[in-house]
Amino acid sequence: HKRAKSRAKRPISDEELKQAVVCLGGDPKADSLDVAFSRQSQAGSLVKRPHHVVVILGENYALWPLLPEYRSLGLAQTGEWLEKEGAYTYHFLSNGNGTMTSLNGFLTGLPDVGLYVNYTMGLKGKASPFAIGETMKRLGYRTVFWYGGLRSWQDLEHFTLREGFDEFHCADELPEQGESSSWGAPDGALFDVIRERMQKESEDTFYFILTTSNHPPFAYDVDAKGFPRVEVTEKLPPSIPRDKATIDQLGHIWYADQVMGKFIREAKKDDPSTLFVVTGDHAERFNFAADVSLWAQSGVPCYFYGEGVTKDLLQGGGGQPSPDRTDAGRTHRAAGHDVYVAPASFDAVEAGFQSSALHRKWRNRGGEGAVECGIQEGDRGGANGGTLDDTAGSVRRCFLCECQ
């Protein structure tokens, strides 16, 4: 609290503010932040306006199960399917290493600076000018937030309603499941209820879904849900332990991915126009192997899927993840993080739409628009040397350049 209070009350001079605006690509002569970072979407990429837009922020939906050394485990089959069917990038980072820091970035459009913006600081109850919920309302969508956990967590209901959502729903509204964890209801039950609501919607609706099942204490009976425990165990690399607790955790990764895929496929059949955006809230929970790359440690995938979504939606797509620096296609891959998702969604939905966003365009790794981080070989951590607790800035910059 003392840290947040001191940062929130830190005086900022007019000159400092102008310098920051310029640094972020805004207009320092503008009389407000939303005008300073005003942007106009380019040609809409979808066949028609989606009746539903669905953003799924998956609990601990990390990149590592999609990396070549782990892909054969089959833990992220939905991710593999979205990779083939939609636009994607694997050079993508969350807004922080925890759920709330990531969610703060998504809902406000602001990068993490160590302040808990879900608790009102300096906005006096007003939505951020970069808020995804508020902006989707201006696009003509009713905005609905669904959380698979408990209403009391992080003052989430008040926060989402303040940031432009018309409705907030959570686990206590779901029917009795006969099982639960300390974090809420199973993802499958959450998705089932959301789909039922979507089928009844007559007006255009934006859904933001935050899942919970892939979280300790990993209490669900994933074997009863079809988890191929024996097959996964047999395919484990030597770096991952084979004890029951570890396999149970892998089972929850598999379960969360499976039910998400089932929901996306069924909702797409109900309404083919639906636009889906899928990513993870963080990835810094990869603790199976003792020595991993920064990509495995910190990366999350990002997918756009729907009618009219082309592979080049993210200015280059993703590409098969590979640490091989000789991969000729590598220089065409888009790189970004959480706060890039909202503007990309606006661009896809409606051409010429005026919004505000604190980001430059999606970065292409290498070539025009590339960014170099200057991290030396020994600084990257994990398998490449150094330690995994290098500064977050170093970890994140490395993802946006060619030094990985």
Side-chain angles (χ1 to χ4, degrees), residues 87-275:
Y88 73 101
T89 180
Y90 290 149
H91 297 280
F92 196 79
L93 290 159
S94 63
N95 200 47
N97 61 1
T99 301
M100 202 61 234
T101 49
S102 177
L103 190 60
N104 280 337
F106 258 108
L107 299 192
T108 66
L110 300 169
D112 180 49
V113 292
L115 294 174
Y116 289 86
V117 294
N118 47 307
Y119 298 104
T120 303
M121 290 289 181
L123 293 178
K124 298 181 179 179
K126 297 180 181 179
S128 162
F130 317 114
I132 189 172
E134 188 73 14
T135 307
M136 290 301 292
K137 284 173 71 170
R138 290 203 296 111
L139 268 169
Y141 287 86
R142 189 164 59 85
T143 52
V144 181
F145 191 99
W146 276 94
Y147 174 47
L150 305 178
R151 190 179 301 271
S152 58
W153 182 71
Q154 291 283 0
D155 198 25
L156 191 55
E157 180 176 15
H158 176 264
F159 177 46
T160 53
L161 296 179
R162 188 189 81 209
E163 292 300 329
F165 283 84
D166 296 309
E167 300 177 21
F168 173 86
H169 304 280
C170 59
D172 61 13
E173 299 178 39
L174 303 182
E176 177 59 41
Q177 300 299 313
E179 62 175 347
S180 64
S181 78
S182 56
W183 282 91
D187 286 356
L190 174 68
F191 285 127
D192 286 345
V193 169
I194 294 173
R195 184 189 172 210
E196 290 175 4
R197 299 287 182 92
M198 290 175 66
Q199 290 173 324
K200 299 175 182 177
E201 292 288 358
S202 58
E203 60 183 308
D204 291 348
T205 309
F206 169 65
Y207 294 88
F208 194 106
I209 304 170
L210 176 61
T211 68
T212 60
S213 289
N214 186 23
H215 192 288
F218 305 112
Y220 298 116
D221 183 358
V222 292
D223 298 283
K225 301 179 187 299
F227 173 54
R229 181 180 295 267
V230 174
E231 291 87 339
V232 170
T233 303
E234 290 175 347
K235 294 178 181 178
L236 288 177
S239 59
I240 298 182
R242 300 179 176 228
D243 60 283
K244 184 179 183 303
T246 297
I247 307 303
D248 283 347
Q249 187 170 353
L250 296 178
H252 283 70
I253 296 172
W254 174 90
Y255 165 72
D257 175 84
Q258 289 287 311
V259 295
M260 179 177 68
K262 177 175 177 286
F263 165 73
I264 293 173
R265 287 179 172 90
E266 291 178 342
K268 181 71 161 55
K269 288 180 181 178
D270 294 337
D271 184 349
S273 76
T274 303
L275 172 66

Side-chain angles (χ1 to χ4, degrees), residues 7-47:
R7 293 189 183 186
K9 292 190 173 183
R10 176 185 176 276
I12 299 176
S13 68
D14 291 343
E15 184 58 34
E16 281 183 299
L17 182 59
K18 287 182 180 180
Q19 290 176 359
V21 169
V22 171
C23 181
L24 291 170
D27 178 7
K29 297 179 181 179
D31 57 6
S32 64
L33 285 178
D34 51 336
V35 174
F37 294 98
S38 178
R39 59 187 297 279
Q40 186 169 327
S41 62
Q42 303 304 310
S45 62
L46 303 184
V47 174

Side-chain angles (χ1 to χ4, degrees), residues 309-321:
V309 171
T310 59
K311 288 290 184 182
D312 62 353
L313 176 69
L314 305 182
Q315 298 185 15
Q320 169 72 18

